[in-house]
Amino acid sequence: MEFGLSAEQRLLTDSVVRYLRDLAPLSRVRQIADGGRADDLIAGITELGLPALLIEDTHGGVGLTALDACLVAEVLGYHVAPVPFVANAVIAPTALRLAGSPTQQRAYLPKIAAGEMIFGAGLSSRTGARAGTGVHVRNGRLSGATRFVLDFAADAYIIADSDAGLHIVMADAAGLERRALETIDRTRPIGELIFTDTPAEPLPNAAGAFATILALGRAALAADTLGAAQYMLDQAVDYAKQRHQFGRPIGSFQAVKHMCAEMAANLEPTRAFMWYAGNSFAALPDEAPRLASHFKAHISEVGTFVAKTATEVHGGMGFTDLVGLHYWFKRIGFNRQMLGSPERLREDVSG
Amino acid sequence: MDLTYGPEYDAFRAEVQAFLAANRAHAPADARPKDPASIRWQARLIAQGYTARIIPAAYGGAGRPPDILKSRIIAEEFASAGVSMGLGGQGISMLVPTLLEVGTEAQRAQFIAPTLRGDMVWCQGYSEPGAGSDLASLRTSAIVDGDDFVINGQKIWTSTAHIADWMFCLVRTEPQAPKHDGISFLLLRMDTPGIEIRPLIDMTMNRNFNEVFFTDVRVPVTQIVGKRGDGWKVANVILKNERDSLSNPNAALARLNALRDIMREETIDGDRLIDKPAFRDRLMRIEGRVMALLFNDLRVLSSQLNHGQDASLARMVVKLQGTELRHELERLAIDVMGENGLAYGSNPYLRDRGSWQYAYMFYLGLIIGGGTSQIQKNIIAERGLGLPRESKLATA
């Protein structure tokens, strides 16, 4: 019995931590959030093998597990990394592996692994469709709209229709209108896709596979929140040790100390939750979707609490752009709503 | 990542299950001190190696080699079968491990076996009216006079003092020493002249706590555990264990499942409780928190089995999170029952013998007892996160 990370898993996350610490500090995140290009970082994480993570070696990937993807997502969240991951490296490879034809797998997986193609994902038709959205299929072509498409700056998209289907749509397809959407989280490009009789390539085995595909996307977003919340807690603790008022560090006041303790007490158990939920995709596949939903719902509540509390520990500086804590605050807020808010997830698991 | 226990342990689990199936009829619903059925059940469990498992047979234990997974399997199977794990109490959970660690051979021989059998019931004399969270400021004094300590003072929150045969307690023997260095750990008979016990009824209306008053109580100097002035260290040998045992997430899971059953069975305005979205959302929110603590517990267990895994912070949060969660879980049960949730005592509409109402209040007691939630937060902040210790106000 061993419930913990392997040496290989630590090596993997360490390599991503080192890369992001050196090449994606807050100053670089700011440039990209303000409209700068992220090409070098995307090339860098491709070099590290991130898009290839969940792709089998027969298709040019490294064939790692859902838990490994969660561990990487956690690191990306910790660094608010402005790079594609949840759609491109998690949802798209999983959709192709579980729902795609062998031909589709051969065509697209090696390109994702090599960084030659980036995939976005628009699943909103199936994760809480709002008025004005929904994707319908007629004669193999798509009509309608999907919003808040993840990893929007992509060459192709995995699109969920309003029934049970999944499709590949090329970014330059006829009848596809792409509208970038600004969100609170400027570390990730997001947009709307409007389909007018748009040609699409269906994934033949979507019906039975969708729950797992969605669950993995949820687990990765949840892991991103865990990382972002851990960063905010670490910063709050450091600040509470350094900042002096009334002649002593503010972290020696119980009011501040207890805010930090409450953050840690709520956050630390979510790490084991992530390990268990991530591991369940391999060990307990039937339970994985329910565990992933529960994990995302739970970490979203904890993350929201940590985001607010860590900001408060920083006092007025927490509210400024200068310290930049808001990038993490917003990333946590973004992850909370994407692919299912806590209320919706709890509704899903209560059946 | 390997969550299996392996074939040897699967076989052991089957053995425990078979024992439970064959013997559960003999188990008391709730093991109580001095209850003959509970004492017989305790003897059966020791013989089987399911309680007092790793305590040497020479001291009346089961004498099995330490095996964290087997202990875990026993606890899991008894919990899921809802069968009593035998006698508890502070003698068995706290004094026995203390004596094994720091007692003399004579003390082990005299006290451990009868305590494990249930023939010798103990109470713990630590807290005082003026020494709660700041336990080390305790003032009950013990002064040497001839071959005896002479004790004067008062203890409070003393569970089972009214039925106990013996007390283990902390007293001040070195009034000149710094507060942590002036304490000794003594053992005394509860029928010693000069001891007065007064009940302290708690909010559940149970008589479990007591106040204990000492007036010139004479205790032989040999009844000390460790050296004079070492009492604080002796007490801390096992204080950590107490905190963990108050908040077992497997017990929370069993309660959650029982609550879900109530919500499926009972109706309000003709609708099942589970079909009410607000109740259902609260239930699922609590289920998520139970899962977090279950997996956290698994991580702590794994860190005990595999060197190099650090779960110290994970362990530090267990008492705080576990007791707060249980209190909320029990409260949800009362809320979903509505007016029936107010039933208590002899009310014919009482469900589950009032266990939800009782536990709701009892867990508020546990949030306070064994190191309050606020003390837990200080520990997490100072030892877990490295925040500066509270600066002490200058005493006037």
Side-chain angles (χ1 to χ4, degrees):
Chain A
M1 191 276 178
E2 186 174 12
F3 183 52
L5 303 184
S6 66
E8 291 79 11
Q9 283 165 328
R10 288 203 201 89
L11 278 175
L12 169 71
T13 54
D14 284 352
S15 72
V16 184
V17 167
R18 271 198 307 276
Y19 178 80
L20 293 173
R21 204 179 47 208
D22 294 346
L23 291 163
L26 180 56
S27 55
R28 184 82 179 94
V29 172
R30 281 182 194 281
Q31 283 172 6
I32 293 165
D34 292 342
R37 296 192 63 88
D39 300 350
D40 58 329
L41 290 183
I42 296 172
I45 61 158
T46 303
E47 188 92 352
L48 286 172
L50 265 48
L53 207 71
L54 292 176
I55 296 171
E56 299 92 324
D57 54 5
T58 49
H59 295 300
V62 286
L64 293 180
T65 66
L67 175 59
D68 299 308
C70 288
L71 296 171
V72 168
E74 181 193 353
V75 176
L76 298 176
Y78 193 94
H79 294 269
V80 288
V83 293
F85 186 74
V86 175
N88 184 52
V90 178
I91 293 173
T94 307
L96 286 161
R97 179 167 60 85
L98 297 180
S101 68
T103 313
Q104 287 167 333
Q105 291 168 357
R106 279 195 300 274
Y108 298 116
L109 288 172
K111 289 188 173 160
I112 296 174
E116 291 161 15
M117 267 186 100
I118 290 177
F119 270 74
L123 309 184
S124 69
S125 310
R126 300 282 301 282
T127 60
R130 298 279 160 168
T133 68
V135 179
H136 302 283
V137 190
R138 215 177 317 118
N139 304 324
R141 289 167 178 262
L142 305 185
S143 291
T146 187
R147 287 186 199 150
F148 298 95
V149 173
L150 278 165
D151 294 346
F152 186 66
D155 306 294
Y157 300 95
I158 300 290
I159 301 299
D161 65 36
S162 299
D163 298 316
L166 285 170
H167 310 263
I168 299 169
V169 174
M170 291 299 143
D172 57 4
L176 178 66
E177 186 189 341
R178 299 200 293 166
R179 288 169 55 186
L181 298 175
E182 189 174 341
T183 74
I184 51 156
D185 178 13
R186 297 172 73 180
T187 65
R188 286 151 155 165
I190 296 300
E192 177 177 18
L193 295 175
I194 301 165
F195 307 97
T196 312
D197 216 21
T198 307
E201 208 185 306
L203 299 179
N205 305 312
F210 185 71
T212 303
I213 299 163
L214 177 60
L216 240 170
R218 286 172 168 167
L221 282 171
D224 192 278
T225 291
L226 169 52
Q230 185 68 55
Y231 176 87
M232 292 191 85
L233 170 59
D234 291 351
Q235 292 299 112
V237 169
D238 281 354
Y239 189 81
K241 288 175 185 170
Q242 283 155 24
R243 167 78 173 167
H244 280 65
Q245 287 287 274
F246 305 101
R248 49 195 264 207
I250 61 168
S252 68
F253 293 110
Q254 284 196 340
V256 175
K257 192 178 278 187
H258 286 192
M259 289 164 96
C260 293
E262 284 165 16
M263 287 191 272
N266 282 291
L267 189 58
E268 190 62 20
T270 66
R271 191 168 304 283
F273 206 153
M274 178 183 74
W275 295 352
Y276 197 91
N279 187 54
S280 72
F281 285 89
L284 308 156
D286 292 345
E287 293 175 38
R290 188 167 196 275
L291 282 163
S293 289
H294 252 314
F295 170 48
K296 184 170 187 286
H298 180 73
I299 189 70
S300 295
E301 305 291 11
V302 172
T304 301
F305 169 71
V306 171
K308 169 178 182 277
T309 309
T311 304
E312 280 186 73
V313 168
H314 283 77
M317 291 311 287
F319 188 61
T320 64
D321 180 44
L322 190 68
V323 170
L325 214 55
H326 65 89
Y327 285 103
W328 283 263
F329 182 96
K330 292 166 181 171
R331 184 112 163 180
I332 290 168
F334 178 95
N335 292 342
R336 181 181 169 101
Q337 306 306 334
M338 282 306 293
L339 304 187
S341 65
E343 290 77 11
R344 183 185 173 88
L345 295 166
R346 289 196 290 265
E347 181 63 31
D348 285 354
V349 296
S350 70
Chain B
M1 204 58 76
D2 174 16
L3 295 174
T4 60
Y5 286 6
E8 180 197 347
Y9 292 102
D10 293 344
F12 182 74
R13 187 184 294 279
E15 198 182 302
V16 178
Q17 287 167 344
F19 170 85
L20 283 169
N23 292 278
R24 62 177 305 158
H26 302 289
D30 197 9
R32 283 171 295 125
K34 311 235 157 156
D35 164 50
S38 300
I39 289 172
R40 284 195 300 274
W41 182 240
Q42 176 79 355
R44 201 182 285 253
L45 294 184
I46 294 175
Q48 193 68 23
Y50 292 168
T51 192
R53 181 171 177 81
I54 61 169
I55 295 168
Y59 304 135
R64 303 294 202 280
D67 187 324
I68 292 168
L69 283 182
K70 284 190 178 168
S71 298
R72 171 83 172 205
I73 287 167
I74 295 165
E76 284 174 356
E77 290 304 320
F78 275 70
S80 76
V83 174
S84 162
M85 292 229 18
L87 294 169
Q90 288 160 321
I92 289 173
S93 68
M94 301 187 75
L95 180 70
V96 167
T98 303
L99 292 180
L100 285 170
E101 194 84 21
V102 294
T104 63
E105 191 48 47
Q107 286 167 341
R108 291 176 191 164
Q110 181 183 354
F111 295 117
I112 294 179
T115 301
L116 293 177
R117 282 199 304 272
D119 293 341
M120 188 185 274
V121 174
W122 291 80
C123 62
Q124 177 208 59
Y126 282 12
S127 296
E128 297 180 6
S133 293
D134 183 14
L135 180 60
S137 70
L138 60 91
R139 298 208 323 240
T140 295
S141 69
I143 293 164
V144 175
D145 178 35
D147 292 337
D148 293 333
F149 286 110
V150 180
I151 303 177
N152 281 282
Q154 184 195 344
K155 295 292 176 184
I156 194 170
W157 315 121
T158 320
S159 303
T160 68
H162 54 301
I163 49 171
D165 307 296
W166 284 76
M167 170 188 273
F168 59 97
C169 64
L170 295 177
V171 292
R172 189 156 301 281
T173 51
E174 330 296 314
Q176 312 307 327
K179 69 177 183 181
H180 291 90
D181 301 334
I183 296 170
S184 296
F185 189 110
L186 303 187
L187 310 176
L188 56 91
R189 293 183 61 94
M190 288 302 280
D191 58 4
T192 315
I195 294 178
E196 188 197 344
I197 300 164
R198 294 185 203 157
L200 193 60
I201 309 290
D202 67 45
M203 71 189 290
T204 69
M205 303 314 280
N206 255 16
R207 187 211 150 137
N208 187 41
F209 291 135
N210 300 274
E211 296 177 283
V212 181
F213 297 85
F214 299 86
T215 310
D216 295 329
V217 173
R218 299 189 77 90
V219 172
V221 290
T222 51
Q223 285 175 205
I224 186 169
V225 179
K227 292 204 218 38
R228 273 178 62 170
D230 277 353
W232 187 253
K233 283 178 215 145
V234 172
N236 274 293
V237 165
I238 45 146
L239 215 51
K240 286 191 221 81
N241 301 350
E242 184 193 26
R243 294 200 180 111
D244 284 5
S245 64
L246 294 176
S247 32
N248 177 359
N250 289 293
L253 180 65
R255 288 300 268 181
L256 179 86
N257 289 332
L259 171 55
R260 197 195 320 259
D261 289 343
I262 291 175
M263 291 175 67
R264 283 178 176 151
E265 288 162 19
E266 296 201 359
T267 60
I268 180 167
D269 299 332
D271 297 329
R272 294 192 314 162
L273 299 174
I274 193 89
D275 294 331
K276 293 288 184 189
F279 287 155
R280 193 162 61 185
D281 189 69
R282 280 177 66 185
L283 182 73
M284 288 301 100
R285 200 164 170 157
I286 286 177
E287 182 172 71
R289 292 169 60 191
V290 170
M291 284 179 166
L293 292 189
L294 271 175
F295 305 144
N296 188 65
D297 183 55
L298 211 52
R299 180 182 175 195
V300 172
L301 172 70
S302 177
S303 74
Q304 291 163 341
L305 294 167
N306 303 282
H307 292 290
Q309 288 185 5
D310 177 25
S312 51
L313 186 56
R315 186 166 188 172
M316 235 175 256
V317 308
V318 166
K319 197 267 173 180
L320 171 67
Q321 295 299 83
T323 52
E324 299 278 356
L325 172 61
R326 269 302 285 283
H327 181 62
E328 279 189 49
L329 194 164
E330 307 290 335
R331 184 178 61 184
L332 175 58
I334 291 168
D335 282 351
V336 300
M337 289 186 235
E339 287 160 343
N340 281 338
L342 303 173
Y344 207 53
S346 64
N347 190 311
Y349 304 106
L350 195 63
R351 182 152 183 155
D352 302 328
R353 295 183 301 150
S355 77
W356 301 98
Q357 292 83 349
Y358 175 77
Y360 169 57
M361 291 186 271
F362 183 72
Y363 267 85
L364 179 54
L366 285 187
I367 284 170
I368 298 165
T372 66
S373 281
Q374 288 64 40
I375 291 291
Q376 298 302 319
K377 288 175 195 174
N378 284 351
I379 292 171
I380 294 164
E382 292 170 6
R383 297 186 206 158
L385 302 175
L387 286 167
R389 291 184 65 87
E390 179 78 0
S391 26
K392 302 286 182 278
L393 289 170
T395 43

